[in-house]
Coordinates of all heavy atoms in Angstrom, one line a residue:
G24 N -21.5 -6.9 9.9 CA -21.0 -5.5 10.2 C -20.4 -5.2 11.5 O -20.1 -4.0 11.7
R25 N -20.1 -6.2 12.3 CA -19.5 -6.1 13.6 C -18.0 -6.1 13.4 O -17.4 -6.8 12.8 CB -20.0 -7.2 14.4 CG -21.4 -7.2 14.7 CD -21.9 -8.4 15.6 NE -21.5 -9.6 14.9 CZ -21.9 -10.8 15.1 NH1 -22.9 -11.0 16.1 NH2 -21.6 -11.9 14.5
T26 N -17.4 -5.2 14.2 CA -16.0 -5.1 14.3 C -15.5 -6.2 15.1 O -15.9 -6.3 16.3 CB -15.4 -3.7 14.9 OG1 -16.0 -2.6 13.9 CG2 -13.9 -3.8 15.0
V27 N -14.7 -7.1 14.6 CA -14.1 -8.2 15.4 C -12.6 -8.1 15.8 O -12.1 -8.7 16.8 CB -14.3 -9.5 14.7 CG1 -15.8 -9.8 14.7 CG2 -13.7 -9.6 13.3
F28 N -12.0 -7.1 15.1 CA -10.5 -6.8 15.4 C -10.3 -5.4 15.0 O -10.6 -5.1 13.9 CB -9.6 -7.8 14.8 CG -8.2 -7.6 15.0 CD1 -7.6 -7.9 16.2 CD2 -7.4 -7.0 14.1 CE1 -6.2 -7.8 16.4 CE2 -6.1 -6.7 14.2 CZ -5.4 -7.1 15.3
Q29 N -9.5 -4.7 15.6 CA -8.9 -3.3 15.2 C -7.6 -3.1 15.6 O -7.1 -3.4 17.0 CB -9.9 -2.3 15.7 CG -9.7 -1.0 15.0 CD -10.9 -0.1 15.3 OE1 -11.4 0.1 16.4 NE2 -11.2 0.7 14.2
E30 N -6.7 -2.5 14.9 CA -5.4 -2.1 15.3 C -5.1 -0.6 14.6 O -5.5 -0.5 13.5 CB -4.4 -3.1 14.7 CG -2.9 -2.7 15.2 CD -2.0 -3.8 14.7 OE1 -2.4 -4.9 14.8 OE2 -0.9 -3.4 14.4
Q31 N -4.5 0.2 15.3 CA -4.3 1.5 14.9 C -2.8 1.7 14.9 O -2.1 1.5 16.0 CB -5.0 2.6 15.6 CG -4.7 3.9 15.0 CD -5.7 5.0 15.5 OE1 -6.5 4.8 16.4 NE2 -5.8 6.0 15.0
L32 N -2.2 2.2 13.9 CA -0.7 2.7 13.9 C -0.8 4.3 13.7 O -1.6 4.8 13.0 CB -0.1 2.2 12.7 CG 0.0 0.7 12.6 CD1 0.7 0.1 11.3 CD2 0.6 0.0 13.8
T33 N 0.1 5.0 14.5 CA 0.1 6.4 14.3 C 1.4 6.9 13.7 O 2.4 6.3 13.8 CB 0.0 7.0 15.8 OG1 1.2 6.5 16.7 CG2 -1.4 6.7 16.4
N34 N 1.2 8.1 13.1 CA 2.4 8.8 12.5 C 3.2 7.9 11.6 O 4.5 7.8 11.6 CB 3.2 9.5 13.5 CG 2.5 10.4 14.3 OD1 1.8 11.3 13.8 ND2 2.9 10.4 15.6
V35 N 2.5 7.1 10.6 CA 3.2 6.5 9.6 C 3.6 7.3 8.5 O 2.9 8.2 8.0 CB 2.1 5.4 9.1 CG1 2.9 4.6 8.0 CG2 1.7 4.4 10.1
R36 N 5.0 7.1 8.1 CA 5.6 8.0 7.2 C 5.1 7.8 5.7 O 4.6 6.6 5.4 CB 7.1 7.9 7.2 CG 7.7 8.5 8.4 CD 9.1 8.5 8.3 NE 9.6 7.2 8.7 CZ 10.9 6.8 8.6 NH1 11.8 7.5 7.9 NH2 11.3 5.6 8.9
A37 N 5.1 8.8 4.9 CA 4.7 8.6 3.5 C 5.5 7.5 2.7 O 6.8 7.5 3.0 CB 4.7 9.9 2.8
G38 N 5.0 6.9 1.8 CA 5.8 5.9 0.9 C 5.2 4.6 0.9 O 4.0 4.3 1.4
R39 N 5.9 3.6 0.5 CA 5.4 2.2 0.5 C 5.4 1.8 1.9 O 6.1 2.1 2.7 CB 6.4 1.3 -0.3 CG 6.3 1.6 -1.8 CD 5.8 0.2 -2.5 NE 5.6 0.4 -3.8 CZ 4.4 0.4 -4.4 NH1 3.4 0.1 -3.7 NH2 4.2 0.6 -5.6
F40 N 4.3 0.9 2.2 CA 4.0 0.5 3.4 C 3.6 -0.9 3.5 O 2.8 -1.4 2.7 CB 2.8 1.3 4.0 CG 2.3 0.9 5.4 CD1 3.0 1.3 6.6 CD2 1.1 0.1 5.5 CE1 2.4 0.8 7.8 CE2 0.7 -0.2 6.7 CZ 1.4 0.1 7.8
S41 N 4.1 -1.7 4.4 CA 3.6 -3.1 4.7 C 3.7 -3.2 6.1 O 4.4 -2.7 6.9 CB 4.5 -4.2 4.0 OG 5.8 -4.1 4.5
H42 N 2.7 -4.2 6.6 CA 2.5 -4.4 8.0 C 1.8 -5.8 8.2 O 0.9 -6.0 7.4 CB 1.5 -3.3 8.6 CG 1.4 -3.4 10.1 ND1 2.3 -3.3 11.1 CD2 0.3 -3.8 10.8 CE1 1.8 -3.6 12.2 NE2 0.6 -3.8 12.0
R43 N 2.2 -6.5 9.1 CA 1.8 -7.8 9.4 C 0.7 -7.7 10.6 O 1.1 -7.3 11.6 CB 2.8 -8.7 9.7 CG 2.4 -10.2 10.0 CD 3.4 -11.2 10.2 NE 4.0 -11.3 9.0 CZ 4.9 -12.2 8.7 NH1 5.3 -13.1 9.6 NH2 5.5 -12.3 7.5
L44 N -0.5 -8.1 10.3 CA -1.5 -8.1 11.4 C -1.5 -9.4 12.1 O -1.5 -10.5 11.3 CB -2.9 -7.8 10.9 CG -3.2 -6.4 10.4 CD1 -4.6 -6.3 9.7 CD2 -3.1 -5.4 11.5
L45 N -1.4 -9.4 13.4 CA -1.6 -10.8 14.1 C -3.0 -10.8 14.7 O -3.2 -10.2 15.7 CB -0.5 -10.9 15.1 CG 0.9 -10.9 14.6 CD1 1.9 -10.9 15.7 CD2 1.2 -12.1 13.7
V46 N -3.9 -11.4 14.0 CA -5.3 -11.6 14.5 C -5.5 -12.9 15.1 O -5.0 -14.0 14.5 CB -6.3 -11.4 13.2 CG1 -7.7 -11.6 13.7 CG2 -6.0 -10.1 12.4
P47 N -6.0 -12.9 16.3 CA -6.3 -14.1 17.0 C -7.3 -15.1 16.3 O -8.6 -14.9 16.6 CB -6.7 -13.8 18.5 CG -7.3 -12.4 18.2 CD -6.5 -11.7 17.1
S48 N -6.9 -15.8 15.4 CA -8.0 -16.5 14.4 C -8.7 -17.5 15.3 O -9.7 -18.0 14.9 CB -7.2 -17.2 13.3 OG -6.3 -18.1 13.8
S49 N -8.3 -18.0 16.5 CA -9.0 -18.9 17.2 C -10.2 -18.3 17.7 O -11.4 -19.0 18.2 CB -8.2 -19.4 18.3 OG -7.8 -18.4 19.3
Q50 N -10.4 -17.0 17.7 CA -11.6 -16.2 18.1 C -12.5 -16.1 17.0 O -13.6 -15.6 17.2 CB -11.3 -14.9 18.8 CG -10.6 -15.0 20.0 CD -10.0 -13.8 20.6 OE1 -10.4 -12.8 20.0 NE2 -9.3 -13.8 21.6
L51 N -12.1 -16.4 15.7 CA -12.9 -16.3 14.5 C -13.6 -17.6 14.2 O -12.9 -18.5 14.0 CB -12.1 -15.6 13.4 CG -11.4 -14.4 13.7 CD1 -10.5 -13.9 12.6 CD2 -12.3 -13.2 14.0
T52 N -14.9 -17.4 13.7 CA -15.5 -18.7 13.1 C -15.1 -18.6 11.5 O -14.8 -17.6 11.1 CB -17.1 -18.6 13.2 OG1 -17.4 -17.4 12.7 CG2 -17.4 -18.6 14.7
K53 N -15.2 -19.8 11.0 CA -14.9 -19.8 9.6 C -15.9 -19.0 8.8 O -17.1 -18.8 9.1 CB -14.8 -21.2 9.0 CG -16.2 -22.0 8.9 CD -16.0 -23.3 8.3 CE -17.4 -24.1 8.4 NZ -17.2 -25.5 7.8
G54 N -15.4 -18.4 7.7 CA -16.3 -17.6 6.9 C -15.5 -16.3 6.3 O -14.4 -16.4 6.2
T55 N -16.3 -15.5 5.7 CA -15.7 -14.3 5.0 C -15.7 -13.1 5.9 O -16.7 -12.9 6.7 CB -16.5 -13.9 3.7 OG1 -16.5 -15.0 3.0 CG2 -16.0 -12.7 3.1
Y56 N -14.7 -12.5 6.0 CA -14.6 -11.2 6.7 C -14.0 -10.1 5.8 O -13.6 -10.3 4.8 CB -13.6 -11.3 7.9 CG -14.1 -12.3 8.9 CD1 -13.9 -13.6 8.8 CD2 -14.7 -11.8 10.1 CE1 -14.3 -14.6 9.8 CE2 -15.1 -12.7 11.0 CZ -14.9 -14.0 10.9 OH -15.4 -15.0 11.8
Y57 N -14.1 -8.8 6.3 CA -13.6 -7.8 5.4 C -12.7 -7.0 6.1 O -12.9 -6.5 7.4 CB -14.7 -6.7 5.0 CG -15.8 -7.6 4.2 CD1 -16.8 -8.1 4.8 CD2 -15.6 -7.8 2.8 CE1 -17.8 -9.0 4.1 CE2 -16.5 -8.6 2.1 CZ -17.6 -9.0 2.8 OH -18.5 -9.9 2.0
L58 N -11.4 -6.7 5.5 CA -10.5 -5.9 6.3 C -10.4 -4.5 5.6 O -10.2 -4.4 4.5 CB -9.0 -6.7 6.1 CG -7.9 -5.9 6.6 CD1 -8.1 -5.8 8.2 CD2 -6.6 -6.6 6.2
R59 N -10.7 -3.5 6.4 CA -10.8 -2.2 6.0 C -9.4 -1.5 6.6 O -9.1 -1.6 7.7 CB -12.1 -1.6 6.6 CG -12.2 -0.1 6.1 CD -13.4 0.5 6.6 NE -13.5 0.6 8.0 CZ -14.6 0.6 8.8 NH1 -15.8 0.6 8.2 NH2 -14.6 0.7 10.0
L60 N -8.8 -0.8 5.5 CA -7.7 0.0 5.8 C -8.0 1.5 5.6 O -8.4 1.8 4.5 CB -6.5 -0.5 4.9 CG -5.3 0.5 4.8 CD1 -4.6 0.5 6.1 CD2 -4.4 0.1 3.6
Q61 N -7.8 2.2 6.7 CA -8.2 3.7 6.7 C -6.9 4.4 6.9 O -6.2 4.3 7.8 CB -9.1 4.1 7.7 CG -10.6 3.5 7.3 CD -11.5 3.9 8.4 OE1 -11.6 3.5 9.5 NE2 -12.5 4.9 8.0
S62 N -6.5 5.5 6.0 CA -5.5 6.3 6.1 C -5.8 7.7 5.6 O -6.2 7.9 4.4 CB -4.3 5.8 5.2 OG -3.3 6.7 5.2
G63 N -6.0 8.7 6.6 CA -6.5 9.9 6.2 C -7.9 9.8 5.7 O -8.8 9.2 6.2
Q64 N -8.1 10.3 4.5 CA -9.3 10.3 3.8 C -9.5 9.1 3.0 O -10.6 8.9 2.4 CB -9.5 11.6 2.8 CG -9.4 12.9 3.7 CD -10.6 13.0 4.7 OE1 -11.8 12.6 4.4 NE2 -10.4 13.6 5.8
R65 N -8.6 8.2 2.8 CA -8.6 7.1 1.9 C -8.9 5.8 2.8 O -8.4 5.5 3.8 CB -7.2 7.0 1.2 CG -7.1 5.7 0.2 CD -5.7 5.8 -0.3 NE -5.7 4.8 -1.4 CZ -4.7 4.5 -2.1 NH1 -3.7 5.3 -2.1 NH2 -4.7 3.6 -2.9
T66 N -9.9 5.1 2.2 CA -10.3 3.8 2.7 C -10.3 2.7 1.7 O -10.7 2.9 0.5 CB -11.8 3.9 3.2 OG1 -11.8 4.9 4.2 CG2 -12.2 2.7 3.9
T67 N -9.7 1.6 2.0 CA -9.6 0.4 1.1 C -10.1 -0.7 1.9 O -9.8 -0.9 3.1 CB -8.1 0.1 0.7 OG1 -7.6 1.3 0.1 CG2 -8.0 -0.9 -0.3
A68 N -10.8 -1.6 1.2 CA -11.2 -2.8 1.8 C -10.8 -4.1 0.9 O -10.8 -4.1 -0.3 CB -12.8 -2.8 1.9
Y69 N -10.6 -5.2 1.7 CA -10.3 -6.4 1.1 C -11.2 -7.6 1.8 O -11.3 -7.6 3.0 CB -8.8 -6.8 1.3 CG -7.8 -5.7 0.9 CD1 -7.5 -4.9 1.8 CD2 -7.4 -5.8 -0.4 CE1 -6.6 -3.8 1.4 CE2 -6.4 -4.8 -0.8 CZ -6.1 -3.9 0.0 OH -5.2 -2.9 -0.4
A70 N -11.6 -8.6 1.0 CA -12.3 -9.7 1.5 C -11.2 -10.8 2.0 O -10.2 -10.9 1.4 CB -13.1 -10.3 0.4
V71 N -11.4 -11.2 3.1 CA -10.6 -12.3 3.8 C -11.4 -13.5 4.2 O -12.5 -13.4 4.7 CB -9.9 -11.6 5.1 CG1 -9.0 -12.7 5.7 CG2 -9.2 -10.5 4.8
A72 N -10.8 -14.6 3.9 CA -11.6 -15.9 4.1 C -10.9 -16.6 5.2 O -9.8 -16.8 5.2 CB -11.9 -16.8 2.9
V73 N -11.6 -17.0 6.2 CA -11.1 -17.9 7.4 C -11.6 -19.3 7.1 O -12.7 -19.5 7.0 CB -11.5 -17.3 8.6 CG1 -11.2 -18.4 9.9 CG2 -11.1 -16.0 9.0
V74 N -10.7 -20.2 7.0 CA -11.0 -21.7 6.6 C -10.4 -22.5 7.8 O -9.3 -22.1 8.2 CB -10.7 -22.0 5.2 CG1 -11.3 -21.4 4.2 CG2 -9.1 -21.9 5.0

Side-chain angles (χ1 to χ4, degrees):
R25 298 177 297 201
T26 297
V27 295
F28 176 82
Q29 191 167 43
E30 181 176 322
Q31 185 168 9
L32 303 176
T33 57
N34 296 320
V35 176
R36 289 189 278 166
R39 288 240 171 248
F40 173 79
S41 66
H42 179 70
R43 182 176 291 192
L44 287 177
L45 298 176
V46 179
S48 63
S49 62
Q50 298 174 2
L51 303 176
T52 59
K53 68 179 181 177
T55 302
Y56 294 82
Y57 300 95
L58 179 62
R59 183 174 63 204
L60 166 66
Q61 291 179 284
S62 172
Q64 299 297 321
R65 187 175 178 175
T66 300
T67 306
Y69 303 94
V71 178
V73 173
V74 294

